[in-house]
Amino acid sequence: MRVIVQPNSEGVSLCAAKVVANLVRDKPTCVLGLATGTSPLGLYQELIRMHHDEGLDFSRVRTFNLDEYVGLGPNDEQSYRYFMQKNLFDHINIDVRNTHVPDGRALNLSTYGEQYEKLINDAGGIDLQILGIGSDGHIAFNEPGSSLGSRTRLKTLASETVRDNARFFGSEDRVPRLSITMGVGSILESRRCLLVAMGPSKARAIRDTIEGPVTAQVTASALQLHRDVLCVVDEEAARLLERRDYYREVERAQTLLQEGRLSELGVSPQPNDQ
Ligand code: F6R
């Protein structure tokens, strides 16, 4: 796992948006996996800015969202489809037919997950999956105890998540208890994952994800098994990481390598390199 610690949440959003934008420029037909919630909001705002100011082109990009509340339709202001329209899709030149959010009102809930995954496979799989993390360490709605091999399916929200998300609904009893969510196993099939986290409430989950054991009790820890994960976190979310200094060293070395400043890494050119 590559870990980048930014001074604040704005730094996280700008850094993560650069990663997404680079992919969109390199592969204009890329498939993005998207998340909702507070964590990716700044990232989406920066992508919108890049679209307007720099002509970042989403016309051939396809997207798949991680999850949706069961029972909420696209016009419901709390639905994740509505969130995506308002916070990203309505402001960029994406073709809405290329955007996918699980259908919270699907009636065939037992087979719906398989259908959703088939759509992802038919699109060639997800190139880059954007992820937030719950304070209980969940990714998508894979609550503690979810199988690390789980697929897209119906999932009951944990009480901690109901509490966390009550801020969007006004009160806890208005939060739907069920979701359709991509599984941990489905997420691990993405070619690359980009996890963003900010604020003190994420510090424990981030520590457990990056430095704890791989366990179904912290489903984000399964990302340790993935070959290409980038975690961009702010100082507050990184507060409990024991190896922070090492992550900074890695990033410094990476920058020096990119800039060809090899001598600062203790590498001196050999005669046969001339
Ligand atoms: C949302 C999702 C969730 C959130 C997580 C963090 O699509 O998949 O896992 O990423 O609950 O939410 P925020 O960012 O609101 O703290």
Side-chain angles (χ1 to χ4, degrees), residues 34-40 65-68 80 130-136 138-142 161 164-165 167-168 181 196 198 201-202:
L34 300 178
T36 57
T38 310
S39 310
N65 265 75
L66 286 168
D67 41 19
E68 179 62 281
Y80 284 170
I130 296 167
L131 296 164
I133 186 169
S135 57
D136 61 4
H138 70 231
I139 43 174
F141 273 126
N142 295 290
T161 304
D164 286 350
N165 291 3
R167 66 191 194 276
F168 300 113
T181 179
V196 289
M198 46 278 263
S201 66
K202 302 296 169 74

PDB file of all heavy atoms in Angstrom, residues 34-40 65-68 80 130-136 138-142 161 164-165 167-168 181 196 198 201-202, ligand 1:
ATOM      1  N   LEU A  34     -16.944   4.671  -8.221  1.00  0.00           N
ATOM      2  CA  LEU A  34     -17.163   5.899  -7.442  1.00  0.00           C
ATOM      3  C   LEU A  34     -17.792   5.614  -6.084  1.00  0.00           C
ATOM      4  O   LEU A  34     -18.537   4.639  -5.916  1.00  0.00           O
ATOM      5  CB  LEU A  34     -18.067   6.848  -8.233  1.00  0.00           C
ATOM      6  CG  LEU A  34     -17.535   7.287  -9.603  1.00  0.00           C
ATOM      7  CD1 LEU A  34     -18.546   8.191 -10.297  1.00  0.00           C
ATOM      8  CD2 LEU A  34     -16.182   7.989  -9.486  1.00  0.00           C
ATOM      9  N   ALA A  35     -17.490   6.509  -5.150  1.00  0.00           N
ATOM     10  CA  ALA A  35     -18.070   6.427  -3.809  1.00  0.00           C
ATOM     11  C   ALA A  35     -18.862   7.706  -3.545  1.00  0.00           C
ATOM     12  O   ALA A  35     -18.674   8.708  -4.225  1.00  0.00           O
ATOM     13  CB  ALA A  35     -16.952   6.296  -2.780  1.00  0.00           C
ATOM     14  N   THR A  36     -19.720   7.656  -2.554  1.00  0.00           N
ATOM     15  CA  THR A  36     -20.444   8.856  -2.123  1.00  0.00           C
ATOM     16  C   THR A  36     -19.956   9.240  -0.730  1.00  0.00           C
ATOM     17  O   THR A  36     -18.946   8.717  -0.269  1.00  0.00           O
ATOM     18  CB  THR A  36     -21.964   8.595  -2.105  1.00  0.00           C
ATOM     19  OG1 THR A  36     -22.181   7.483  -1.234  1.00  0.00           O
ATOM     20  CG2 THR A  36     -22.494   8.293  -3.486  1.00  0.00           C
ATOM     21  N   GLY A  37     -20.684  10.122  -0.051  1.00  0.00           N
ATOM     22  CA  GLY A  37     -20.289  10.521   1.300  1.00  0.00           C
ATOM     23  C   GLY A  37     -19.453  11.795   1.271  1.00  0.00           C
ATOM     24  O   GLY A  37     -19.224  12.394   0.219  1.00  0.00           O
ATOM     25  N   THR A  38     -18.977  12.175   2.432  1.00  0.00           N
ATOM     26  CA  THR A  38     -18.233  13.425   2.567  1.00  0.00           C
ATOM     27  C   THR A  38     -16.825  13.313   1.991  1.00  0.00           C
ATOM     28  O   THR A  38     -16.310  14.267   1.394  1.00  0.00           O
ATOM     29  CB  THR A  38     -18.132  13.797   4.067  1.00  0.00           C
ATOM     30  OG1 THR A  38     -19.443  13.731   4.633  1.00  0.00           O
ATOM     31  CG2 THR A  38     -17.586  15.187   4.264  1.00  0.00           C
ATOM     32  N   SER A  39     -16.210  12.160   2.151  1.00  0.00           N
ATOM     33  CA  SER A  39     -14.778  12.031   1.797  1.00  0.00           C
ATOM     34  C   SER A  39     -14.448  12.400   0.350  1.00  0.00           C
ATOM     35  O   SER A  39     -13.477  13.112   0.121  1.00  0.00           O
ATOM     36  CB  SER A  39     -14.283  10.621   2.115  1.00  0.00           C
ATOM     37  OG  SER A  39     -14.639  10.258   3.408  1.00  0.00           O
ATOM     38  N   PRO A  40     -15.207  11.930  -0.667  1.00  0.00           N
ATOM     39  CA  PRO A  40     -14.794  12.257  -2.034  1.00  0.00           C
ATOM     40  C   PRO A  40     -15.342  13.588  -2.550  1.00  0.00           C
ATOM     41  O   PRO A  40     -15.092  13.942  -3.704  1.00  0.00           O
ATOM     42  CB  PRO A  40     -15.376  11.089  -2.848  1.00  0.00           C
ATOM     43  CG  PRO A  40     -16.566  10.633  -2.074  1.00  0.00           C
ATOM     44  CD  PRO A  40     -16.340  10.995  -0.645  1.00  0.00           C
ATOM     45  N   ASN A  65     -21.014   3.075  -9.299  1.00  0.00           N
ATOM     46  CA  ASN A  65     -20.955   3.406  -7.880  1.00  0.00           C
ATOM     47  C   ASN A  65     -20.951   2.159  -7.017  1.00  0.00           C
ATOM     48  O   ASN A  65     -21.430   1.103  -7.435  1.00  0.00           O
ATOM     49  CB  ASN A  65     -22.114   4.318  -7.488  1.00  0.00           C
ATOM     50  CG  ASN A  65     -21.697   5.763  -7.530  1.00  0.00           C
ATOM     51  OD1 ASN A  65     -21.565   6.336  -8.618  1.00  0.00           O
ATOM     52  ND2 ASN A  65     -21.446   6.361  -6.376  1.00  0.00           N
ATOM     53  N   LEU A  66     -20.422   2.339  -5.824  1.00  0.00           N
ATOM     54  CA  LEU A  66     -20.270   1.202  -4.918  1.00  0.00           C
ATOM     55  C   LEU A  66     -21.578   0.699  -4.344  1.00  0.00           C
ATOM     56  O   LEU A  66     -21.748  -0.502  -4.144  1.00  0.00           O
ATOM     57  CB  LEU A  66     -19.417   1.634  -3.716  1.00  0.00           C
ATOM     58  CG  LEU A  66     -17.924   1.825  -3.903  1.00  0.00           C
ATOM     59  CD1 LEU A  66     -17.351   2.532  -2.687  1.00  0.00           C
ATOM     60  CD2 LEU A  66     -17.259   0.466  -4.089  1.00  0.00           C
ATOM     61  N   ASP A  67     -22.501   1.636  -4.050  1.00  0.00           N
ATOM     62  CA  ASP A  67     -23.622   1.205  -3.223  1.00  0.00           C
ATOM     63  C   ASP A  67     -24.819   2.151  -3.328  1.00  0.00           C
ATOM     64  O   ASP A  67     -24.720   3.245  -3.890  1.00  0.00           O
ATOM     65  CB  ASP A  67     -23.181   1.067  -1.749  1.00  0.00           C
ATOM     66  CG  ASP A  67     -22.244   2.203  -1.312  1.00  0.00           C
ATOM     67  OD1 ASP A  67     -22.226   3.245  -1.981  1.00  0.00           O
ATOM     68  OD2 ASP A  67     -21.553   2.042  -0.301  1.00  0.00           O
ATOM     69  N   GLU A  68     -25.910   1.696  -2.771  1.00  0.00           N
ATOM     70  CA  GLU A  68     -27.141   2.500  -2.719  1.00  0.00           C
ATOM     71  C   GLU A  68     -27.994   1.987  -1.569  1.00  0.00           C
ATOM     72  O   GLU A  68     -27.927   0.804  -1.204  1.00  0.00           O
ATOM     73  CB  GLU A  68     -27.905   2.368  -4.049  1.00  0.00           C
ATOM     74  CG  GLU A  68     -29.215   3.132  -4.139  1.00  0.00           C
ATOM     75  CD  GLU A  68     -29.071   4.659  -3.999  1.00  0.00           C
ATOM     76  OE1 GLU A  68     -28.926   5.109  -2.831  1.00  0.00           O
ATOM     77  OE2 GLU A  68     -29.128   5.366  -5.014  1.00  0.00           O
ATOM     78  N   TYR A  80     -28.055   7.775  -3.302  1.00  0.00           N
ATOM     79  CA  TYR A  80     -26.696   7.978  -3.808  1.00  0.00           C
ATOM     80  C   TYR A  80     -26.724   8.369  -5.291  1.00  0.00           C
ATOM     81  O   TYR A  80     -25.825   9.058  -5.755  1.00  0.00           O
ATOM     82  CB  TYR A  80     -25.856   6.726  -3.572  1.00  0.00           C
ATOM     83  CG  TYR A  80     -25.432   6.586  -2.119  1.00  0.00           C
ATOM     84  CD1 TYR A  80     -24.839   5.428  -1.650  1.00  0.00           C
ATOM     85  CD2 TYR A  80     -25.601   7.637  -1.222  1.00  0.00           C
ATOM     86  CE1 TYR A  80     -24.431   5.313  -0.329  1.00  0.00           C
ATOM     87  CE2 TYR A  80     -25.205   7.531   0.104  1.00  0.00           C
ATOM     88  CZ  TYR A  80     -24.614   6.369   0.543  1.00  0.00           C
ATOM     89  OH  TYR A  80     -24.207   6.268   1.850  1.00  0.00           O
ATOM     90  N   ILE A 130     -12.514   4.484  -6.440  1.00  0.00           N
ATOM     91  CA  ILE A 130     -12.391   5.496  -5.380  1.00  0.00           C
ATOM     92  C   ILE A 130     -13.139   4.978  -4.153  1.00  0.00           C
ATOM     93  O   ILE A 130     -14.274   4.503  -4.265  1.00  0.00           O
ATOM     94  CB  ILE A 130     -12.994   6.832  -5.856  1.00  0.00           C
ATOM     95  CG1 ILE A 130     -12.180   7.373  -7.038  1.00  0.00           C
ATOM     96  CG2 ILE A 130     -13.050   7.847  -4.728  1.00  0.00           C
ATOM     97  CD1 ILE A 130     -12.851   8.508  -7.779  1.00  0.00           C
ATOM     98  N   LEU A 131     -12.513   5.105  -2.989  1.00  0.00           N
ATOM     99  CA  LEU A 131     -13.124   4.596  -1.761  1.00  0.00           C
ATOM    100  C   LEU A 131     -13.024   5.624  -0.633  1.00  0.00           C
ATOM    101  O   LEU A 131     -11.989   6.292  -0.495  1.00  0.00           O
ATOM    102  CB  LEU A 131     -12.384   3.331  -1.280  1.00  0.00           C
ATOM    103  CG  LEU A 131     -12.426   2.099  -2.174  1.00  0.00           C
ATOM    104  CD1 LEU A 131     -11.337   1.117  -1.739  1.00  0.00           C
ATOM    105  CD2 LEU A 131     -13.804   1.442  -2.125  1.00  0.00           C
ATOM    106  N   GLY A 132     -14.082   5.713   0.177  1.00  0.00           N
ATOM    107  CA  GLY A 132     -13.992   6.370   1.476  1.00  0.00           C
ATOM    108  C   GLY A 132     -13.910   5.242   2.494  1.00  0.00           C
ATOM    109  O   GLY A 132     -13.888   4.057   2.131  1.00  0.00           O
ATOM    110  N   ILE A 133     -13.869   5.598   3.755  1.00  0.00           N
ATOM    111  CA  ILE A 133     -13.835   4.550   4.794  1.00  0.00           C
ATOM    112  C   ILE A 133     -14.745   4.957   5.943  1.00  0.00           C
ATOM    113  O   ILE A 133     -14.799   6.135   6.321  1.00  0.00           O
ATOM    114  CB  ILE A 133     -12.379   4.311   5.276  1.00  0.00           C
ATOM    115  CG1 ILE A 133     -12.303   3.135   6.250  1.00  0.00           C
ATOM    116  CG2 ILE A 133     -11.774   5.571   5.901  1.00  0.00           C
ATOM    117  CD1 ILE A 133     -10.870   2.693   6.549  1.00  0.00           C
ATOM    118  N   GLY A 134     -15.481   4.003   6.478  1.00  0.00           N
ATOM    119  CA  GLY A 134     -16.353   4.291   7.616  1.00  0.00           C
ATOM    120  C   GLY A 134     -15.533   4.319   8.898  1.00  0.00           C
ATOM    121  O   GLY A 134     -14.418   3.781   8.955  1.00  0.00           O
ATOM    122  N   SER A 135     -16.087   4.938   9.940  1.00  0.00           N
ATOM    123  CA  SER A 135     -15.327   4.984  11.195  1.00  0.00           C
ATOM    124  C   SER A 135     -15.156   3.585  11.785  1.00  0.00           C
ATOM    125  O   SER A 135     -14.282   3.348  12.612  1.00  0.00           O
ATOM    126  CB  SER A 135     -16.009   5.921  12.193  1.00  0.00           C
ATOM    127  OG  SER A 135     -17.335   5.500  12.404  1.00  0.00           O
ATOM    128  N   ASP A 136     -15.979   2.619  11.328  1.00  0.00           N
ATOM    129  CA  ASP A 136     -15.789   1.231  11.775  1.00  0.00           C
ATOM    130  C   ASP A 136     -14.915   0.437  10.797  1.00  0.00           C
ATOM    131  O   ASP A 136     -14.827  -0.778  10.867  1.00  0.00           O
ATOM    132  CB  ASP A 136     -17.147   0.532  11.976  1.00  0.00           C
ATOM    133  CG  ASP A 136     -17.972   0.454  10.689  1.00  0.00           C
ATOM    134  OD1 ASP A 136     -17.465   0.878   9.613  1.00  0.00           O
ATOM    135  OD2 ASP A 136     -19.119  -0.040  10.743  1.00  0.00           O
ATOM    136  N   HIS A 138     -15.291   0.189   7.456  1.00  0.00           N
ATOM    137  CA  HIS A 138     -15.941  -0.418   6.292  1.00  0.00           C
ATOM    138  C   HIS A 138     -15.540   0.281   4.996  1.00  0.00           C
ATOM    139  O   HIS A 138     -15.247   1.472   4.981  1.00  0.00           O
ATOM    140  CB  HIS A 138     -17.472  -0.454   6.452  1.00  0.00           C
ATOM    141  CG  HIS A 138     -18.161   0.881   6.387  1.00  0.00           C
ATOM    142  ND1 HIS A 138     -19.059   1.306   7.333  1.00  0.00           N
ATOM    143  CD2 HIS A 138     -18.103   1.895   5.487  1.00  0.00           C
ATOM    144  CE1 HIS A 138     -19.513   2.500   7.007  1.00  0.00           C
ATOM    145  NE2 HIS A 138     -18.945   2.882   5.887  1.00  0.00           N
ATOM    146  N   ILE A 139     -15.539  -0.497   3.913  1.00  0.00           N
ATOM    147  CA  ILE A 139     -15.494   0.082   2.565  1.00  0.00           C
ATOM    148  C   ILE A 139     -16.791  -0.305   1.877  1.00  0.00           C
ATOM    149  O   ILE A 139     -17.300  -1.409   2.086  1.00  0.00           O
ATOM    150  CB  ILE A 139     -14.250  -0.376   1.739  1.00  0.00           C
ATOM    151  CG1 ILE A 139     -13.989  -1.863   1.905  1.00  0.00           C
ATOM    152  CG2 ILE A 139     -13.041   0.466   2.071  1.00  0.00           C
ATOM    153  CD1 ILE A 139     -12.880  -2.387   0.997  1.00  0.00           C
ATOM    154  N   ALA A 140     -17.311   0.597   1.042  1.00  0.00           N
ATOM    155  CA  ALA A 140     -18.687   0.489   0.554  1.00  0.00           C
ATOM    156  C   ALA A 140     -19.553   0.255   1.802  1.00  0.00           C
ATOM    157  O   ALA A 140     -19.311   0.865   2.832  1.00  0.00           O
ATOM    158  CB  ALA A 140     -18.810  -0.585  -0.497  1.00  0.00           C
ATOM    159  N   PHE A 141     -20.521  -0.650   1.768  1.00  0.00           N
ATOM    160  CA  PHE A 141     -21.283  -0.928   2.995  1.00  0.00           C
ATOM    161  C   PHE A 141     -20.902  -2.297   3.548  1.00  0.00           C
ATOM    162  O   PHE A 141     -21.727  -2.995   4.125  1.00  0.00           O
ATOM    163  CB  PHE A 141     -22.789  -0.838   2.743  1.00  0.00           C
ATOM    164  CG  PHE A 141     -23.330   0.558   2.887  1.00  0.00           C
ATOM    165  CD1 PHE A 141     -24.060   1.141   1.873  1.00  0.00           C
ATOM    166  CD2 PHE A 141     -23.130   1.284   4.052  1.00  0.00           C
ATOM    167  CE1 PHE A 141     -24.580   2.426   1.998  1.00  0.00           C
ATOM    168  CE2 PHE A 141     -23.638   2.571   4.199  1.00  0.00           C
ATOM    169  CZ  PHE A 141     -24.366   3.142   3.169  1.00  0.00           C
ATOM    170  N   ASN A 142     -19.648  -2.672   3.344  1.00  0.00           N
ATOM    171  CA  ASN A 142     -19.169  -3.952   3.889  1.00  0.00           C
ATOM    172  C   ASN A 142     -18.815  -3.745   5.356  1.00  0.00           C
ATOM    173  O   ASN A 142     -17.681  -3.393   5.706  1.00  0.00           O
ATOM    174  CB  ASN A 142     -17.979  -4.447   3.073  1.00  0.00           C
ATOM    175  CG  ASN A 142     -18.389  -4.770   1.659  1.00  0.00           C
ATOM    176  OD1 ASN A 142     -19.104  -5.749   1.423  1.00  0.00           O
ATOM    177  ND2 ASN A 142     -18.008  -3.923   0.712  1.00  0.00           N
ATOM    178  N   THR A 161     -22.722   2.853  11.547  1.00  0.00           N
ATOM    179  CA  THR A 161     -22.925   3.514  10.256  1.00  0.00           C
ATOM    180  C   THR A 161     -24.244   4.274  10.247  1.00  0.00           C
ATOM    181  O   THR A 161     -24.322   5.391   9.721  1.00  0.00           O
ATOM    182  CB  THR A 161     -22.903   2.454   9.128  1.00  0.00           C
ATOM    183  OG1 THR A 161     -21.675   1.746   9.221  1.00  0.00           O
ATOM    184  CG2 THR A 161     -23.028   3.083   7.763  1.00  0.00           C
ATOM    185  N   ASP A 164     -23.479   7.378  12.062  1.00  0.00           N
ATOM    186  CA  ASP A 164     -22.643   8.287  11.251  1.00  0.00           C
ATOM    187  C   ASP A 164     -23.460   8.971  10.154  1.00  0.00           C
ATOM    188  O   ASP A 164     -23.245  10.138   9.844  1.00  0.00           O
ATOM    189  CB  ASP A 164     -21.496   7.523  10.571  1.00  0.00           C
ATOM    190  CG  ASP A 164     -20.393   7.143  11.552  1.00  0.00           C
ATOM    191  OD1 ASP A 164     -20.430   7.638  12.688  1.00  0.00           O
ATOM    192  OD2 ASP A 164     -19.508   6.351  11.173  1.00  0.00           O
ATOM    193  N   ASN A 165     -24.371   8.215   9.532  1.00  0.00           N
ATOM    194  CA  ASN A 165     -25.085   8.744   8.362  1.00  0.00           C
ATOM    195  C   ASN A 165     -26.366   9.486   8.717  1.00  0.00           C
ATOM    196  O   ASN A 165     -26.998  10.087   7.842  1.00  0.00           O
ATOM    197  CB  ASN A 165     -25.389   7.610   7.370  1.00  0.00           C
ATOM    198  CG  ASN A 165     -24.104   7.091   6.732  1.00  0.00           C
ATOM    199  OD1 ASN A 165     -23.011   7.541   7.073  1.00  0.00           O
ATOM    200  ND2 ASN A 165     -24.215   6.175   5.799  1.00  0.00           N
ATOM    201  N   ARG A 167     -26.614  12.194  10.005  1.00  0.00           N
ATOM    202  CA  ARG A 167     -26.455  13.629   9.723  1.00  0.00           C
ATOM    203  C   ARG A 167     -27.073  14.003   8.376  1.00  0.00           C
ATOM    204  O   ARG A 167     -27.483  15.127   8.161  1.00  0.00           O
ATOM    205  CB  ARG A 167     -24.979  14.031   9.783  1.00  0.00           C
ATOM    206  CG  ARG A 167     -24.094  13.409   8.709  1.00  0.00           C
ATOM    207  CD  ARG A 167     -22.615  13.679   9.036  1.00  0.00           C
ATOM    208  NE  ARG A 167     -21.706  13.428   7.928  1.00  0.00           N
ATOM    209  CZ  ARG A 167     -21.201  12.231   7.623  1.00  0.00           C
ATOM    210  NH1 ARG A 167     -21.560  11.158   8.333  1.00  0.00           N
ATOM    211  NH2 ARG A 167     -20.367  12.092   6.619  1.00  0.00           N
ATOM    212  N   PHE A 168     -27.141  13.038   7.447  1.00  0.00           N
ATOM    213  CA  PHE A 168     -27.729  13.334   6.139  1.00  0.00           C
ATOM    214  C   PHE A 168     -29.261  13.229   6.163  1.00  0.00           C
ATOM    215  O   PHE A 168     -29.943  13.755   5.305  1.00  0.00           O
ATOM    216  CB  PHE A 168     -27.208  12.365   5.071  1.00  0.00           C
ATOM    217  CG  PHE A 168     -25.710  12.429   4.896  1.00  0.00           C
ATOM    218  CD1 PHE A 168     -24.903  11.360   5.246  1.00  0.00           C
ATOM    219  CD2 PHE A 168     -25.104  13.579   4.395  1.00  0.00           C
ATOM    220  CE1 PHE A 168     -23.519  11.424   5.091  1.00  0.00           C
ATOM    221  CE2 PHE A 168     -23.728  13.649   4.229  1.00  0.00           C
ATOM    222  CZ  PHE A 168     -22.939  12.571   4.583  1.00  0.00           C
ATOM    223  N   THR A 181     -24.691  -3.304  -1.968  1.00  0.00           N
ATOM    224  CA  THR A 181     -23.300  -2.849  -1.987  1.00  0.00           C
ATOM    225  C   THR A 181     -22.394  -3.824  -2.723  1.00  0.00           C
ATOM    226  O   THR A 181     -22.611  -5.037  -2.683  1.00  0.00           O
ATOM    227  CB  THR A 181     -22.774  -2.664  -0.535  1.00  0.00           C
ATOM    228  OG1 THR A 181     -21.412  -2.249  -0.592  1.00  0.00           O
ATOM    229  CG2 THR A 181     -22.845  -3.934   0.294  1.00  0.00           C
ATOM    230  N   VAL A 196      -9.496   7.575   0.167  1.00  0.00           N
ATOM    231  CA  VAL A 196      -9.283   8.902   0.739  1.00  0.00           C
ATOM    232  C   VAL A 196      -9.936   8.970   2.118  1.00  0.00           C
ATOM    233  O   VAL A 196     -11.024   8.434   2.326  1.00  0.00           O
ATOM    234  CB  VAL A 196      -9.864  10.035  -0.164  1.00  0.00           C
ATOM    235  CG1 VAL A 196      -9.042  10.198  -1.419  1.00  0.00           C
ATOM    236  CG2 VAL A 196     -11.323   9.811  -0.515  1.00  0.00           C
ATOM    237  N   MET A 198     -10.160  11.681   5.732  1.00  0.00           N
ATOM    238  CA  MET A 198      -9.754  12.886   6.433  1.00  0.00           C
ATOM    239  C   MET A 198     -10.500  13.017   7.764  1.00  0.00           C
ATOM    240  O   MET A 198     -11.590  12.493   7.919  1.00  0.00           O
ATOM    241  CB  MET A 198      -9.962  14.136   5.572  1.00  0.00           C
ATOM    242  CG  MET A 198     -11.276  14.258   4.844  1.00  0.00           C
ATOM    243  SD  MET A 198     -11.302  13.337   3.292  1.00  0.00           S
ATOM    244  CE  MET A 198     -10.922  14.583   2.104  1.00  0.00           C
ATOM    245  N   SER A 201     -12.048  11.412  13.116  1.00  0.00           N
ATOM    246  CA  SER A 201     -12.938  10.258  13.307  1.00  0.00           C
ATOM    247  C   SER A 201     -12.502   9.051  12.465  1.00  0.00           C
ATOM    248  O   SER A 201     -12.989   7.944  12.658  1.00  0.00           O
ATOM    249  CB  SER A 201     -14.383  10.631  12.968  1.00  0.00           C
ATOM    250  OG  SER A 201     -14.478  10.919  11.587  1.00  0.00           O
ATOM    251  N   LYS A 202     -11.562   9.279  11.537  1.00  0.00           N
ATOM    252  CA  LYS A 202     -11.115   8.163  10.698  1.00  0.00           C
ATOM    253  C   LYS A 202      -9.757   7.593  11.146  1.00  0.00           C
ATOM    254  O   LYS A 202      -9.261   6.632  10.554  1.00  0.00           O
ATOM    255  CB  LYS A 202     -11.010   8.622   9.232  1.00  0.00           C
ATOM    256  CG  LYS A 202     -12.306   9.161   8.646  1.00  0.00           C
ATOM    257  CD  LYS A 202     -13.369   8.084   8.580  1.00  0.00           C
ATOM    258  CE  LYS A 202     -14.741   8.625   8.249  1.00  0.00           C
ATOM    259  NZ  LYS A 202     -14.902   9.011   6.866  1.00  0.00           N
TER     260      LYS A 202
HETATM  261  C1  F6R B   1     -20.273   5.464   0.215  1.00  0.00           C
HETATM  262  C2  F6R B   1     -19.494   4.405   0.829  1.00  0.00           C
HETATM  263  C3  F6R B   1     -19.118   4.432   2.271  1.00  0.00           C
HETATM  264  C4  F6R B   1     -18.427   5.727   2.678  1.00  0.00           C
HETATM  265  C5  F6R B   1     -18.034   5.693   4.143  1.00  0.00           C
HETATM  266  C6  F6R B   1     -17.436   7.003   4.591  1.00  0.00           C
HETATM  267  O1  F6R B   1     -20.505   5.204  -1.152  1.00  0.00           O
HETATM  268  O2  F6R B   1     -19.169   3.485   0.158  1.00  0.00           O
HETATM  269  O3  F6R B   1     -18.274   3.355   2.550  1.00  0.00           O
HETATM  270  O4  F6R B   1     -17.276   5.899   1.890  1.00  0.00           O
HETATM  271  O5  F6R B   1     -19.153   5.413   4.912  1.00  0.00           O
HETATM  272  O6  F6R B   1     -18.384   8.012   4.503  1.00  0.00           O
HETATM  273  P1  F6R B   1     -17.983   9.538   4.677  1.00  0.00           P
HETATM  274  O7  F6R B   1     -17.063   9.857   3.554  1.00  0.00           O
HETATM  275  O8  F6R B   1     -19.261  10.292   4.570  1.00  0.00           O
HETATM  276  O9  F6R B   1     -17.311   9.657   5.994  1.00  0.00           O
END
